[in-house]
Amino acid sequence: MSTPPAHHPLSSHTHQHGPECGHVAIPHHDHTDYVHDSGLHRMHGDHADACANPTHTVHEQHDHQHGADCGHVAVPHDDHMDYVHDGHRHAAHEGHWDDH
């Protein structure tokens, strides 16, 4: 989980995310992601980036199964759903859970 997120500027994004912007805020690595437009955005200098983790990090020994009634916040992310758990996002991947 120590790999910093990749830099993916959103060229047409003019909204400034922050504590008062009204979007769900999720702590992620050394920054905060905001759920917006079916994705996760983070502020980077004077623009927003799509938050993407370029690495595959398996969450070891994660027996909990996330889903509609698991009690964790569900966040749409690209073509799947992430779940906020243990201070980060989990995503289903080939029979296990990844840390995002």
Side-chain angles (χ1 to χ4, degrees):
M1 286 192 342
S2 62
T3 303
H7 182 74
H8 298 282
L10 297 166
S11 60
S12 63
H13 189 276
T14 59
H15 177 76
Q16 292 294 310
H17 293 291
E20 304 296 322
C21 76
H23 295 112
V24 173
I26 301 169
H28 188 213
H29 296 296
D30 62 351
H31 65 277
T32 301
D33 288 336
Y34 295 90
V35 181
H36 187 210
D37 292 338
S38 297
L40 296 164
H41 298 174
R42 72 181 187 106
M43 292 309 298
H44 184 240
D46 64 350
H47 64 277
D49 282 350
C51 192
N53 188 350
T55 61
H56 175 219
T57 307
V58 176
H59 185 88
E60 300 292 343
Q61 300 175 350
H62 184 69
D63 297 327
H64 176 75
Q65 294 301 307
H66 294 292
D69 297 321
C70 74
H72 295 108
V73 174
V75 179
H77 187 208
D78 297 329
D79 63 350
H80 63 275
M81 192 68 70
D82 288 349
Y83 295 89
V84 180
H85 185 195
D86 292 340
H88 50 271
R89 294 177 287 126
H90 292 170
H93 182 251
E94 298 179 358
H96 63 266
W97 293 96
D98 285 352
D99 284 331
H100 263 222

